[in-house]
Amino acid sequence: MTISTPHTISTDLYPTRKGPVCTVVDRPDPVVWSGLTDGSLHAAELARYEDKGFHVLPSVLSSGEVAACYSEIGRLATSPDLAADPRVIREQGTGDVRSIFDVHLLSPMVAEVARRPNVLGVAQQILGSDVYIHQSRLNFKPGFTGGPFYWHSDFETWHAEDGMPRPRAMSMSIALTPNYEVNGSLMIIAGSHQRFVSCAGETPADYFQRSLVEHIPVTGSPDHATLTELANEFGIEQITGPAGSATVFDSNCMHGSNGNITPYPRSNIFLVFNSVENTLAQPFSAPAPRPEFLAKHDFTPLRST
Amino acid sequence: MTISTPHTISTDLYPTRKGPVCTVVDRPDPVVWSGLTDGSLHAAELARYEDKGFHVLPSVLSSGEVAACYSEIGRLATSPDLAADPRVIREQGTGDVRSIFDVHLLSPMVAEVARRPNVLGVAQQILGSDVYIHQSRLNFKPGFTGGPFYWHSDFETWHAEDGMPRPRAMSMSIALTPNYEVNGSLMIIAGSHQRFVSCAGETPADYFQRSLVEHIPVTGSPDHATLTELANEFGIEQITGPAGSATVFDSNCMHGSNGNITPYPRSNIFLVFNSVENTLAQPFSAPAPRPEFLAKHDFTPLRST
């Protein structure tokens, strides 16, 4: 399947951050871009992904691989070479590491995982083309003091701030710690990916520097009435599972997570795959593109190992 | 069963907030103070309460009664007579009502509910004596912006700040809205009531004025290492259930709740019953007693309707 990609703002199919009002429209684009059922996912799994906007893979990493990834994280988080690197995001106040971006470039282990058939192959199958990595990161959500991530659609941000034309992208979150009901696990409004929420407000200059560390967004999130309507229509599903499990979800899923006062931290590897037929244009609603570590312009297709 | 009640600090069985170190001791007192099995709870339910520290009552209020309570709340929250009342606690910033204390005195409906056999009778059965209401309140945890309540034992506070000698008290939280997994429902470290955590620090003067509105406690909470040990030993249980259900829990349960970014608010009626054989002395670790609306000195036994 070949789909032409708009590369100019004149063909903006997903206008957002253009004014004072939050509106909801039906998504004009597909969710599953390939009819291929000879990949990792069965037809029923693809159909469910199309309906719900996410799919859970029970075991992407073995317990040994989880442990190895964890020690790799520790190495990166404490590496003197990365101490002042802008790709390492720290908590306000404590200075603890909250995220490390470009982890598929910084960690050979993550680079290898991203190319596996049950990772890369799933992305290619859903997106119906070759894919590249738009963004990758390690997230650390500490116990006791973990803050919330407020509701948002990743695609809304990537479209407005990075110039991603269409929601022909998907994320995979690979759990390195157990996701319990009580430790701030991912919540998805299952089905919300079929709508596009055009958010109110405008994108401030260099907004990414705030949005990476602040818990309450200035823009890029629906208003309360819209979130209530979406939650009432679709319901909220919380994704739980053991370390090593993974959640694949559509780039336009409305999702968020509560804070975490339990002793149990949450860490995951987050990989964003974008179709090579959906490469970045200029930002659709921001003064300037975000840095490369947030939105890559190397569109070279990822190849399996 | 008659148990003598210590009324002087020289017999402090639960020292806390006396120094820099957090320590854990076994609880010297019973949990179930009566062997009576002719009350509302069956023997198996009492045994489970003794073991876990809590018990869920599936339906204390009908849906009609929930609706009536809700309109009563609205009346109290907007009453001009209570606008400047110290018993009405408001959120920092928004000024929204967060709690209303003394609700068993302010609301005839709540006063009636507190005297029902499946409420008062359960308290009498567990505490093995006549009981009175030590504190009552309505809690409102809004959607979208609900903050967390950090881990604490109510008894630790009531002992230190109110002079309650022993944990011969229990709380009933009656849900007026559904408690979901995702909207900041009560979490209990089930079994933690069998230990007493002596907390580090000292109680600042007029600390209640801060502790009612701040999310991160200055004192009265275990340190991270102690919480981790308790959670690893006992596990964390989250209490979910429909509006109208209720949770009875021991005054010394370690409990807390996460924040809530979902659209679904949480409201509950919170009633604290204390044994008339456990009436208040002077505070065991605070400069002065808290106000009457937080710790009543009217020890008149509550009688059923």
Side-chain angles (χ1 to χ4, degrees):
Chain A
M1 185 188 297
T2 303
I3 292 161
S4 65
T5 304
H7 273 271
T8 64
I9 292 182
S10 64
T11 56
D12 185 358
L13 294 172
Y14 298 90
T16 186
R17 309 188 193 181
K18 302 292 189 190
V21 182
C22 174
T23 55
V24 183
V25 296
D26 286 338
R27 167 188 183 138
D29 278 317
V31 175
V32 175
W33 295 68
S34 138
L36 300 176
T37 53
D38 59 351
S40 291
L41 300 186
H42 306 303
E45 292 170 330
L46 280 177
R48 190 179 182 283
Y49 179 87
E50 185 154 29
D51 180 42
K52 294 282 194 178
F54 71 94
H55 178 69
V56 175
L57 301 166
S59 180
V60 164
L61 299 180
S62 70
S63 57
E65 290 171 329
V66 167
C69 275
Y70 226 72
S71 64
E72 180 97 324
I73 293 172
R75 186 180 66 77
L76 295 173
T78 57
S79 165
D81 295 345
L82 296 175
D85 196 298
R87 296 174 294 184
V88 178
I89 310 299
R90 295 175 190 280
E91 293 278 351
Q92 290 175 311
T94 64
D96 292 344
V97 173
R98 175 169 167 159
S99 303
I100 301 176
F101 283 84
D102 270 357
V103 70
H104 72 294
L105 302 178
L106 294 169
S107 160
M109 177 175 293
V110 175
E112 184 273 317
V113 168
R115 288 172 169 80
R116 292 183 181 181
N118 61 345
V119 178
L120 175 59
V122 168
Q124 291 168 329
Q125 188 181 13
I126 290 173
L127 302 179
S129 68
D130 277 337
V131 300
Y132 70 97
I133 290 188
H134 171 66
Q135 184 193 98
S136 76
R137 63 178 191 263
L138 285 166
N139 285 328
F140 306 89
K141 193 166 189 172
F144 301 112
T145 59
F149 284 95
Y150 198 70
W151 300 105
H152 64 286
S153 148
D154 289 331
F155 171 69
E156 193 276 344
T157 295
W158 299 337
H159 184 70
E161 301 186 35
D162 299 338
M164 184 182 287
R166 295 175 169 202
R168 193 172 175 178
M170 50 141 272
S171 301
M172 185 179 291
S173 174
I174 305 174
L176 297 178
T177 48
N179 290 317
Y180 299 115
E181 292 166 358
V182 293
N183 66 338
S185 295
L186 178 67
M187 298 187 289
I188 292 179
I189 300 182
S192 61
H193 65 300
Q194 295 282 12
R195 309 286 164 78
F196 180 72
V197 180
S198 176
C199 294
E202 294 189 356
T203 311
D206 291 336
Y207 179 53
F208 73 94
Q209 292 179 336
R210 297 169 57 186
S211 64
L212 290 177
V213 292
E214 291 180 356
H215 297 150
I216 302 297
V218 171
T219 186
S221 285
D223 58 23
H224 288 186
T226 303
L227 281 169
T228 303
E229 281 172 25
L230 287 172
N232 285 344
E233 179 177 356
F234 294 115
I236 295 172
E237 294 197 28
Q238 188 173 33
I239 318 296
T240 57
S245 64
T247 306
V248 181
F249 58 105
D250 183 86
S251 60
N252 191 44
C253 278
M254 191 60 62
H255 64 287
S257 61
N258 281 316
N260 175 23
I261 68 164
T262 78
Y264 308 122
R266 276 186 62 236
S267 299
N268 59 69
I269 299 169
F270 189 75
L271 302 170
V272 181
F273 298 97
N274 189 27
S275 168
V276 294
E277 297 174 19
N278 191 43
T279 55
L280 304 188
Q282 288 301 303
F284 287 86
S285 296
R290 300 194 299 175
E292 277 298 303
F293 72 85
L294 291 171
K296 308 220 85 63
H297 284 78
D298 178 352
F299 308 133
T300 310
L302 204 63
R303 297 298 176 200
S304 58
T305 44
Chain B
M1 184 187 299
T2 303
I3 292 162
S4 67
T5 305
H7 273 272
T8 65
I9 292 182
S10 64
T11 57
D12 185 358
L13 295 171
Y14 298 90
T16 186
R17 309 189 193 182
K18 303 291 190 192
V21 182
C22 175
T23 57
V24 183
V25 296
D26 286 339
R27 166 187 182 137
D29 279 316
V31 175
V32 175
W33 296 69
S34 139
L36 299 176
T37 53
D38 59 350
S40 290
L41 300 186
H42 305 303
E45 292 171 328
L46 280 177
R48 190 178 181 284
Y49 179 87
E50 186 154 30
D51 180 43
K52 294 283 194 178
F54 70 94
H55 178 69
V56 175
L57 301 166
S59 180
V60 164
L61 298 180
S62 69
S63 57
E65 289 170 330
V66 167
C69 276
Y70 226 73
S71 64
E72 180 96 327
I73 293 173
R75 186 180 66 77
L76 294 173
T78 58
S79 164
D81 294 345
L82 297 175
D85 196 298
R87 296 175 293 184
V88 179
I89 311 297
R90 296 175 189 278
E91 292 280 349
Q92 291 174 309
T94 64
D96 292 342
V97 173
R98 176 169 167 158
S99 303
I100 300 175
F101 283 85
D102 269 358
V103 70
H104 72 295
L105 301 180
L106 294 169
S107 160
M109 177 174 294
V110 175
E112 185 273 319
V113 168
R115 288 171 170 79
R116 292 183 181 182
N118 62 344
V119 178
L120 175 60
V122 168
Q124 291 168 329
Q125 187 182 14
I126 289 173
L127 302 179
S129 70
D130 279 337
V131 300
Y132 71 96
I133 290 188
H134 171 66
Q135 185 193 97
S136 76
R137 63 177 190 266
L138 285 166
N139 285 329
F140 306 89
K141 194 166 191 171
F144 302 111
T145 59
F149 283 95
Y150 198 69
W151 299 104
H152 64 285
S153 149
D154 289 331
F155 171 69
E156 194 275 345
T157 294
W158 301 336
H159 183 70
E161 301 187 35
D162 299 338
M164 184 181 287
R166 295 176 169 202
R168 193 173 175 177
M170 49 141 273
S171 301
M172 184 179 293
S173 174
I174 305 174
L176 298 178
T177 48
N179 290 317
Y180 299 114
E181 291 167 357
V182 293
N183 66 340
S185 296
L186 177 68
M187 297 187 290
I188 291 179
I189 299 181
S192 61
H193 65 301
Q194 296 282 11
R195 309 285 165 77
F196 180 72
V197 180
S198 176
C199 295
E202 293 189 356
T203 311
D206 291 335
Y207 179 52
F208 72 95
Q209 292 180 335
R210 296 170 56 187
S211 64
L212 290 177
V213 291
E214 291 180 357
H215 297 150
I216 303 297
V218 171
T219 186
S221 287
D223 59 25
H224 288 185
T226 302
L227 281 170
T228 303
E229 282 172 24
L230 287 172
N232 286 344
E233 179 177 356
F234 294 115
I236 295 172
E237 294 198 28
Q238 188 172 33
I239 317 295
T240 57
S245 64
T247 306
V248 182
F249 59 105
D250 183 86
S251 60
N252 191 44
C253 277
M254 192 60 63
H255 64 286
S257 61
N258 281 317
N260 174 24
I261 67 164
T262 78
Y264 307 121
R266 275 185 63 237
S267 298
N268 59 71
I269 300 169
F270 189 76
L271 302 170
V272 180
F273 298 96
N274 189 26
S275 169
V276 295
E277 296 174 20
N278 191 42
T279 56
L280 304 188
Q282 287 300 303
F284 286 85
S285 296
R290 300 194 298 174
E292 277 297 304
F293 72 85
L294 292 171
K296 308 221 85 63
H297 284 78
D298 179 352
F299 308 134
T300 310
L302 204 63
R303 297 299 176 201
S304 59
T305 43

